[in-house]
Amino acid sequence: MLYDVRTYTCRAGTIRKHLALYAEHGYAVQSRHLGKPLAYLQTETGNVNSYMHIWVYASAADREARRQALQKDPEWANYLTRSADAGYLISQENRLMTPTAFFQP
């Protein structure tokens, strides 16, 4: 099991606009290729301009195949263009993680 944990930070005051843009133009196409995320979370305390989502894959090869298919989808390319044009995001951190020996999801 491989967990792709992604944390994004938006410019102050734009997180709601960014998440609305993603909800309308990105979520369906991304979920179609990657499956439903394990979690999609907005920060309640701390940096309230950030959010994270977690995607689950069987392996690194599974992740690579699914993400390659996503990148080839014109609908996803359209979302990426809209997101870049909006300019809401200022940083992104991706971590690939595996479960510890004592945790079995």
Side-chain angles (χ1 to χ4, degrees), residues 16-36:
R16 287 186 181 155
K17 292 177 184 178
H18 174 72
L19 291 174
L21 179 70
Y22 175 74
E24 184 176 349
H25 299 284
Y27 183 72
V29 65
Q30 191 172 33
S31 296
R32 191 166 56 245
H33 291 283
L34 305 184
K36 297 292 182 192

Side-chain angles (χ1 to χ4, degrees), residues 3 13 15 17 25 27 30 32 37 64-66 68 70 77 80 83 85 90 102:
Y3 294 85
I15 192 166
K17 292 177 184 178
H25 299 284
Y27 183 72
Q30 191 172 33
R32 191 166 56 245
E64 182 178 354
R66 289 183 192 207
Q68 281 181 359
L70 174 64
L80 292 178
S83 179
D85 289 348
I90 59 173
F102 58 83

Side-chain angles (χ1 to χ4, degrees), residues 5-20:
V5 180
R6 295 172 167 254
T7 304
Y8 295 80
T9 303
C10 294
R11 287 187 298 111
T14 66
I15 192 166
R16 287 186 181 155
K17 292 177 184 178
H18 174 72
L19 291 174

Side-chain angles (χ1 to χ4, degrees), residues 12-98:
T14 66
I15 192 166
R16 287 186 181 155
K17 292 177 184 178
H18 174 72
L19 291 174
L21 179 70
Y22 175 74
E24 184 176 349
H25 299 284
Y27 183 72
V29 65
Q30 191 172 33
S31 296
R32 191 166 56 245
H33 291 283
L34 305 184
K36 297 292 182 192
L38 175 66
Y40 215 104
L41 309 164
Q42 187 173 346
T43 303
E44 188 72 22
T45 61
N47 183 353
V48 296
N49 298 304
S50 67
Y51 67 97
M52 76 177 323
H53 41 104
I54 304 170
W55 303 86
V56 181
Y57 303 98
S59 64
D62 177 41
R63 177 183 178 271
E64 182 178 354
R66 289 183 192 207
R67 291 199 54 82
Q68 281 181 359
L70 174 64
Q71 295 303 320
K72 292 177 185 175
D73 191 312
E75 191 177 342
W76 182 246
N78 178 54
Y79 164 71
L80 292 178
T81 298
R82 286 174 181 265
S83 179
D85 289 348
Y88 300 139
L89 291 175
I90 59 173
S91 70
Q92 174 182 345
E93 178 186 350
N94 297 4
R95 291 175 291 157
L96 299 180
M97 304 182 81
T98 56

